[in-house]
Amino acid sequence: MYEVSAVIVAAGESKRFGQNKVFLKVEGKYLVQYSIDAFAAVEEVKEIILVVRREFLELAESFKIIYPKITQVVEGGQERQDSVLRGLSCAKYPYVLIHDGARPNVSVALINRVIQGFSSSDAVVPVIPVRDTLVFFEDQFFNKPINRDGLFAVQTPQGYKKSLILEALNKSDKNYTDESTLLFDTLGVRAKGVEGSFANFKITYPEDFELFQNILGGNMDLRVGIGFDSHRLEKGRKLILGGVQVESDFGAVAHSDGDCLVHAIIDALLGGSGQKDIGTQFPDTDPKYSGISSLKLLQEIWDGIRQQYEILNLDTVVKLEKPKIKDYVDEMKENIARILSIPLDRISIKAKTGEKIGPVGECLLIECEAVVLLRRRY
């Protein structure tokens, strides 16, 4: 297994587009987040470094709340090459992926193909064959055809041994828009080509942006998961909800930390992805789960399905007579968002009482429900 740093370059001026495209919102997320989502879902990617323009530094820093793999946010340079070098200078791992933030439709499968290419080369690039007929035009009229045999278009992410690409960048005295060309011109090293994807197109013009919007709207393989959990309450025990210890005279009786809210979320994720319930996954007869943080269990379940699914939204209800939890909700949401790598506005945590009736109303029981909407990744 290769441990990889991913550098997402999003510091261009977008002159042909007319405005900064990577921080435009589409379907509730910034364009660059679609790239971040894909890299965050790949196990071998241990860190993500964002390179952005100065005016977007603060916004990009805020992404760290929902993407724990983002370790650095770096201001870009005057040229793309300068931006890449600034990003690579922060990379901690021996292999790096360099990706253009204007390619939001990159897939987990494509990223994995590039990483697998390291087994036979220290320089790996995804390529696609040229499909269309190519010709020279002169003064708006046909001049001569071009033989397209052996012609390929180069994409990102491009993968390199960090020391190799840094050597090339530091030796180069010209500006390049592509690292594989730079590597060949500077060091004579030929990159290995792996299968790219026609879906991994670059957004250069407004019509490209419209195409991406249409793709998102057309990808409707949705799954709904419902989760429910309850725990008896006893005096003198800790009450943990959403990874936060809530001040209370009563706490949950449980084998783990008794985080009823997170347990309901786990069950919703398991249900939406077609798996067996939380009790089957983490039996209360197994001593290794004794007292364990439920956030760790949530992380394990999410890691198991994140390459197949994206969370569109998560809605939850906490049924608890007392205490009031409104002052803790923001921290709960931050904990859950960090684990699931989703924006805070995709999470809802609501609280209800039992109106002093029944086990909940008599402070004998806590109940939590969760509903999650998943979309299959392609």
Side-chain angles (χ1 to χ4, degrees):
M1 185 175 108
Y2 295 90
E3 294 186 320
V4 176
S5 299
V7 177
I8 299 178
V9 184
E13 295 183 5
S14 304
K15 289 181 179 178
R16 288 172 291 183
F17 190 84
Q19 59 179 309
N20 194 288
K21 58 201 173 192
V22 292
F23 286 99
L24 283 179
K25 275 201 168 182
V26 54
E27 296 293 325
K29 292 196 297 188
Y30 294 102
L31 191 75
V32 71
Q33 286 186 268
Y34 289 94
S35 295
I36 299 172
D37 285 340
F39 284 93
V42 176
E43 183 180 356
E44 286 83 356
V45 174
K46 301 302 180 183
E47 66 171 354
I48 297 171
I49 299 161
L50 290 183
V51 186
V52 303
R53 295 176 63 81
R54 178 176 296 178
E55 58 263 37
F56 297 108
L57 285 171
E58 184 176 353
L59 174 58
E61 283 283 351
S62 72
F63 291 166
K64 290 180 178 179
I65 297 174
I66 55 176
Y67 299 109
K69 285 189 178 182
I70 295 179
T71 58
Q72 297 283 340
V73 175
V74 182
E75 182 180 349
Q78 184 172 353
E79 304 291 341
R80 174 193 165 85
Q81 206 166 306
D82 302 321
S83 296
V84 170
L85 184 57
R86 289 185 181 188
L88 289 178
S89 298
C90 301
K92 299 177 183 177
Y93 294 93
Y95 287 88
V96 295
L97 298 175
I98 303 169
H99 184 63
D100 191 335
R103 292 184 186 268
N105 211 35
V106 62
S107 67
V108 170
L110 174 55
I111 296 169
N112 281 329
R113 284 200 295 274
V114 175
I115 293 173
Q116 290 161 8
F118 288 140
S119 63
S120 56
S121 177
D122 287 338
V124 185
V125 296
V127 297
I128 54 174
V130 174
R131 289 177 168 179
D132 298 324
T133 297
L134 298 177
V135 299
F136 276 115
F137 268 71
E138 188 174 2
D139 296 327
Q140 299 184 345
F141 287 92
F142 183 98
N143 189 342
K144 63 180 179 179
I146 301 170
N147 185 353
R148 67 187 178 195
D149 291 344
L151 291 183
F152 289 81
V154 178
Q155 300 182 317
T156 68
Q158 298 185 10
Y160 299 99
K161 190 173 184 179
K162 183 175 71 172
S163 58
L164 180 68
I165 192 63
L166 279 175
E167 180 184 357
L169 283 164
N170 286 317
K171 282 187 176 181
S172 174
D173 57 1
K174 295 194 300 182
N175 291 320
Y176 292 85
T177 58
D178 170 75
E179 283 70 48
S180 62
T181 307
L182 178 150
L183 191 66
F184 181 77
D185 283 357
T186 306
L187 302 180
V189 175
R190 296 192 303 164
K192 174 188 172 112
V194 297
E195 180 187 357
S197 169
F198 285 94
N200 182 33
F201 61 93
K202 184 177 180 181
I203 293 181
T204 304
Y205 298 100
E207 53 264 38
D208 303 323
F209 186 80
E210 293 173 9
L211 175 59
F212 183 58
Q213 286 180 305
N214 291 336
I215 289 172
L216 291 179
N219 178 2
M220 297 299 290
D221 188 353
L222 304 179
R223 302 284 190 92
V224 175
I226 301 173
F228 173 81
D229 193 51
S230 62
H231 287 282
R232 288 190 297 112
L233 296 174
E234 286 186 358
K235 281 192 173 183
R237 290 181 177 268
K238 292 181 179 179
L239 179 62
I240 308 293
L241 287 173
V244 179
Q245 184 170 337
V246 176
E247 282 191 38
S248 174
D249 295 331
F250 300 88
V253 178
H255 183 62
S256 64
D257 65 357
D259 193 329
C260 190
L261 174 60
V262 173
H263 293 176
I265 294 170
I266 290 173
D267 245 0
L269 290 171
L270 290 170
S273 57
Q275 300 184 68
K276 294 181 178 179
D277 61 51
I278 186 173
T280 304
Q281 306 286 338
F282 308 112
D284 60 10
T285 54
D286 192 331
K288 73 179 179 181
Y289 300 125
S290 177
I292 193 171
S293 168
S294 296
L295 290 178
K296 291 184 178 179
L297 305 182
L298 178 62
Q299 182 76 69
E300 182 175 330
I301 293 301
W302 179 233
D303 285 346
I305 66 171
R306 65 187 303 165
Q307 292 200 30
Q308 289 79 45
Y309 295 98
E310 175 189 4
I311 297 174
L312 296 184
N313 80 298
L314 172 64
D315 190 16
T316 67
V317 177
V318 177
K319 298 179 180 179
L320 179 68
E321 189 65 23
K322 59 180 182 181
K324 302 293 185 183
I325 65 169
K326 63 179 182 179
D327 292 337
Y328 301 92
V329 166
D330 287 346
E331 188 177 354
M332 294 177 195
K333 289 176 66 173
E334 287 178 3
N335 287 340
I336 296 164
R338 184 176 63 253
I339 298 293
L340 301 179
S341 298
I342 57 176
L344 293 172
D345 62 7
R346 294 194 181 196
I347 302 171
S348 171
I349 299 176
K350 306 183 296 295
K352 304 291 182 182
T353 69
E355 297 291 341
K356 304 189 186 315
I357 299 172
V360 172
E362 295 171 7
C363 297
L364 300 175
L365 191 71
I366 180 173
E367 296 180 341
C368 292
E369 298 176 4
V371 177
V372 65
L373 181 61
L374 301 174
R375 177 166 61 193
R376 185 179 288 277
R377 297 185 189 274
Y378 288 89

